[in-house]
Amino acid sequence: MTDRFDVIVAGAGPAGAQCARDLATRGYDVVVLETEPEDEFPRQSNKSTAGTFPSMMSAFGVPDDVVMQYTDSVVLESPTDHFVQHQPGAVLEFADFKRWLVADGREEGAEYWFDARVSKPVTEDGEIIGVEYGGGQEVYADIVVDATGPAAPLAKKLDVVDLERKHQAIGIEYELEGIDIDAEGYADLHDAMMLRLDHDIAPGGYSWIFHTGEDTAKVGLCYIQNDAHRDYAKDGMGIDDYLQYWLDTDPRFADAERIAGKVHRGSAHIQMPDGLSTDNFMAVGDTVPTIDPLWGEGIHKGMKSGRAAAMTADRCFMPDDPDTSAEAMSIYDELWHSEVAPKMRTRLLMTQLLYLARNERYDTLMADLKRMDYDSLSDANSGSLRDIAKLLHAGDLPLLARFARERLAE
Ligand SMILES: Cc1cc2nc3c(=O)[nH]c(=O)nc-3n(C[C@H](O)[C@H](O)[C@H](O)COP(=O)(O)OP(=O)(O)OC[C@H]3O[C@@H](n4cnc5c(N)ncnc54)[C@H](O)[C@@H]3O)c2cc1C
């Protein structure tokens, strides 16, 4: 077994596996080191609801057989109202999707080593030249990519990222059957991905029901463990308690039962990245973090970042005299800011504002969304300040003042 590659990717999630797939397609020697054993893969890393949209499916050639359910609409719910937006999408079976990425990468020539937990960088003159894995073994490459999600063992030790606990979002979901998908007084959730803003259920975050066919759905919630969460939290309740509370109190779940073994949980950091690359090194996906702060779309963003890292590596290797210096790798940073997560700062501000707002404000938001045209909505969602302003009211001044105070205090 060789111990030298063009590129080592740590982590076989969507970001790392896509990076390896692109590099192998271009003919590079690439190995992916994944901590989980192959016969159980993905186990703990099978964490995602995996709702996604046609732009991701077509950009990365995702096949039908990893789709649990195609959806037609996105529904936003507040405590007493809802808003329906026609928007085609797909809810993937995340485990099948991950296994398909591995199989497809292998077909292109990528190597996968499972049961290979990466623990730290191997460095020479301060630069990474390989990784230590599996408790003492080493493997070397010209470029190393950290795609281990929030674990980030390489990016942290190289001081490329500083993932802060105060910016950590946690999420949990169950797969349920026996749900009333079209209940009286609620939106019809057949073929829909529904996101609910309601601090009673998800303090400082949101909850969701993603229809997966007949009377089944993925049902979960997430929140950032920040001041907004503490303001609205109920004493002594953890995230599992909130999900149980929702299941116990929402009439749509009165006859619902959990499908055995179908629980997914994980975390991601909702913050501006400090850095993205250094000499011979790039960090992709949730390691950076790349996840969209507002609605937690991490799969498409992560895969885009994996592709941007593969493009950068290709560019660095292409000259007769390859250059993998920090300066050459900084092309990745430019691609990340322009193509992968443009307007990240504005979306972070929108996120903080949205999750600070009170429950009553969410009801007004639904009314505002109903009167806005599709283009303005889509531009507001993409971070257009002019269109975001259309959603603000005079009554939001105290909220904005509190937000400004908190920002100044940071
Ligand atoms: C409950 C929940 C629901 C979600 N719902 C959605 C959704 O509907 N749509 C969406 O787009 N996104 C969703 N996300 C976010 C999305 O799942 C993530 O953003 C995405 O999986 C990130 O991909 P990644 O490749 O960066 O990291 P990960 O998916 O975290 O993959 C990292 C990989 O690295 C491996 N690894 C970890 N440590 C090491 C190590 N030391 N050595 C080797 N390997 C290691 C892990 O086993 C894993 O395979 C959700 C997340 C959660 C938690």
Side-chain angles (χ1 to χ4, degrees), residues 10-16 33-36 41 45 47-51 94 98 116-118 147-151 153 171-173 208 210 264-267 284-287 291 296-300:
L33 273 59
E34 165 60 43
T35 189
E36 297 186 343
F41 178 79
S45 72
K47 62 182 186 182
S48 188
T49 315
F94 192 58
K98 285 190 74 166
R117 194 179 78 82
V118 172
T148 55
I172 178 171
E173 81 170 7
W208 63 85
F210 283 14
H264 312 292
R265 66 172 77 234
S267 70
V284 299
D286 281 359
T287 301
I291 192 164
E297 204 190 341
I299 295 173
H300 192 184

Side-chain angles (χ1 to χ4, degrees), residues 328-345:
M329 306 302 280
S330 69
I331 295 166
Y332 171 63
D333 300 42
E334 282 168 35
L335 287 172
W336 193 93
H337 286 289
S338 62
E339 310 286 332
V340 178
K343 301 210 171 135
M344 180 70 149
R345 208 172 281 283

Side-chain angles (χ1 to χ4, degrees), residues 19-34:
C19 182
R21 213 176 147 215
D22 281 347
L23 285 164
T25 310
R26 288 280 301 136
Y28 292 107
D29 288 333
V30 53
V31 63
V32 182
L33 273 59
E34 165 60 43

Side-chain angles (χ1 to χ4, degrees), residues 34 63 90 125 170 238 240:
E34 165 60 43
D125 301 328
I170 51 174
D240 294 44

Side-chain angles (χ1 to χ4, degrees), residues 4 6 8-10 118-132 139-146 153-160 277-283 324-326 329:
R4 189 144 199 106
D6 295 321
I8 296 167
V9 177
V118 172
S119 48
K120 61 177 183 190
V122 176
T123 57
E124 193 175 83
D125 301 328
E127 292 182 11
I128 186 167
I129 55 160
V131 302
E132 190 179 299
V139 57
Y140 307 95
D142 296 315
I143 293 178
V144 176
V145 175
D146 193 341
L154 304 172
K156 281 179 190 163
K157 291 202 176 88
L158 293 169
D159 276 337
V160 170
S277 65
T278 185
D279 298 282
N280 317 334
F281 179 82
M282 289 174 276
T324 57
S325 65
M329 306 302 280

